Amino acid sequence: MRPDPLYARYPFLDAARAAVQEADISPPRLVTEGDPAVDRARERVERALMSGTVASETPERWSDRDELLSYPIARILVSLVDVRAAVEKYADAEAETAFERLRADLAADDAELRSVATPRADLPTFLDEFDLDGAVRRVADGSGDPGRDTFRIDVTAYLRLTDPDWGADWRLVNRDLADGEVPVASEELHRLLREAVRRRVASGLPFEVRGSAGGDALAAALDDDVTALRDRLAERERLPSVDTVAPERFPPCMRALLDRADGDLPPHSAFAATAFLVSLGLDADTIAERWPGLDDGDLSYRATVLADDGGGGSQYPAPSCATMATFGDCVNPDERCETIDHPRRYYAAAVADADRSESDD
């Protein structure tokens, strides 16, 4: 099987799913044969649960085939984990990763678009994919900058994709509705598309795997993976909470990222810094005020996704020390770094030590 490279980047596309079905590749056989796609699926789900992305830490390791086939296997794993939070986080992560890729694709110049090695998606492809091709029209060109384009979307499609929890700005009463259309900026249209992706990924999850001889055998073969994923999810919940915000106590990696925030942080670095700050209870406005370089126009939505329902803590704490090291973001480690495995544990220990020192004085 040699899939279209675009399907590897966007495996939820109808054409990508059709390609998998036409290839008649059996997930149980992939699992029993130890196919690389199974390892990639495990990583896909773990990254979704722990870091809010399904992008691989080692993309050079995987072929387009591995990427594409990992998607249906990842859905099996999430169904076997069978925890509502896992489904929600997985769907959010698939949508977030797709959005980051689409934004990069739309910003690509002509030379990049002609590159065979880097398949690109375009806006018409996504609009057609989610039956929005007749519901969205561009009304102002951004003069070469797709981020400055403006659109009008059919009110029915707008209401179908928006969520009341998104805030007052998204309520129809606060929009300039005219001729059955709602004006949206480019980043707002992207958010609507991301929601369409999230809903598609979440649709049907979790599904019943067990109940047949083949399903029971598949579940048994994936039992160790499912147990490990449940443990990782539980581990995330056990991270220490810290009620104070003292930047001078932040771990060296976070201090370094925030010092560079006014520059051009890679997406994984910006995510790590934002997730860490949200895990301390900071909202988008506070983050944008203190570290304006992290405000890429989508900070408010990202912070909302990261934050939990209570407003403190985080659905996705900052990536672990191992992940930070993989991406080259583990810098200037000190003695405390040798004893911990997560930036938030570093910070909790640093705050506790400072409190003890003050009480001794």
Side-chain angles (χ1 to χ4, degrees):
M1 178 186 186
R2 299 185 63 180
D4 186 324
L6 190 66
Y7 299 164
R9 287 168 57 80
Y10 302 104
F12 50 81
L13 296 176
D14 282 337
R17 293 190 290 180
V20 173
Q21 292 173 351
E22 290 172 5
D24 194 25
I25 294 176
S26 165
R29 181 169 60 80
L30 295 176
V31 172
T32 56
E33 293 179 356
D35 193 276
V38 180
D39 291 334
R40 175 65 183 109
R42 184 190 311 111
E43 181 197 35
R44 194 178 194 101
V45 178
E46 182 173 349
R47 293 272 288 150
L49 300 183
M50 302 301 294
S51 300
T53 180
V54 297
S56 176
E57 292 184 303
T58 54
E60 69 284 351
R61 178 182 173 188
W62 312 108
S63 68
D64 290 338
R65 175 187 176 279
D66 298 335
E67 285 289 333
L68 176 59
L69 295 181
S70 72
Y71 178 70
I73 299 173
R75 291 175 61 84
I76 293 172
L77 285 169
V78 170
S79 295
L80 289 170
V81 171
D82 197 18
V83 175
R84 180 180 177 182
V87 172
E88 293 174 350
K89 294 178 192 305
Y90 173 69
D92 281 340
E94 287 280 4
E96 177 66 15
T97 305
F99 166 75
E100 293 292 348
R101 290 172 176 170
L102 179 61
R103 184 164 63 176
D105 287 353
L106 295 179
D109 59 27
D110 290 341
E112 290 176 307
L113 289 173
R114 290 193 297 268
S115 171
V116 176
T118 310
R120 304 284 177 177
D122 55 25
L123 189 58
T125 296
F126 264 68
L127 293 178
D128 179 67
E129 180 72 21
F130 295 103
D131 298 324
L132 294 170
D133 49 324
V136 176
R137 63 186 180 93
R138 182 183 280 105
V139 295
D141 192 295
S143 299
D145 181 355
R148 295 182 179 274
D149 292 348
T150 56
F151 302 83
R152 296 191 73 86
I153 180 171
D154 181 82
V155 64
T156 302
Y158 179 86
L159 292 174
R160 172 167 55 88
L161 289 173
T162 54
D163 189 304
D165 291 339
W166 287 3
D169 288 346
W170 289 90
R171 293 173 186 165
L172 197 58
V173 68
N174 295 323
R175 293 278 169 163
D176 184 20
L177 176 64
D179 298 326
E181 295 178 325
V182 182
V184 292
S186 180
E187 64 271 15
E188 291 174 327
L189 179 59
H190 293 168
R191 182 171 182 181
L192 294 172
L193 288 173
R194 175 168 42 194
E195 176 63 12
V197 173
R198 187 198 67 78
R199 293 183 186 182
R200 174 172 291 183
V201 173
S203 178
L205 290 177
F207 52 82
E208 186 59 52
V209 178
R210 299 177 178 86
S212 65
D216 290 343
L218 179 59
L222 291 172
D223 186 61
D224 289 345
D225 295 319
V226 172
T227 298
L229 289 169
R230 285 175 176 161
D231 289 345
R232 292 292 280 157
L233 192 60
E235 175 187 337
R236 186 193 62 80
E237 300 295 340
R238 291 195 295 268
L239 285 174
S241 60
V242 185
D243 297 328
T244 186
V245 179
E248 68 276 10
R249 309 292 179 199
F250 288 177
C253 57
M254 290 301 165
R255 293 201 301 270
L257 290 183
L258 294 172
D259 286 345
R260 294 167 49 205
D262 286 335
D264 186 18
L265 279 180
H268 59 80
S269 300
F271 174 87
T274 304
F276 178 78
L277 295 172
V278 171
S279 77
L280 302 183
L282 298 183
D283 59 19
D285 290 340
T286 303
I287 294 172
E289 180 180 354
R290 297 182 68 170
W291 296 281
L294 292 176
D295 189 0
D296 60 355
D298 199 52
L299 177 62
S300 179
Y301 175 76
R302 184 170 289 111
T304 300
V305 171
L306 287 167
D308 65 12
D309 293 338
S314 175
Q315 289 196 60
Y316 303 108
S320 67
C321 294
T323 298
M324 296 288 284
T326 296
F327 281 104
D329 288 332
C330 177
V331 297
N332 306 323
D334 57 21
E335 291 184 1
R336 179 175 281 115
C337 291
E338 298 176 1
T339 66
I340 53 91
D341 61 356
H342 198 284
R344 206 160 89 190
R345 288 197 174 91
Y346 180 108
Y347 181 59
V351 169
D353 287 349
D355 289 344
R356 281 193 293 270
S357 178
E358 290 177 4
S359 63
D360 290 343
D361 292 342

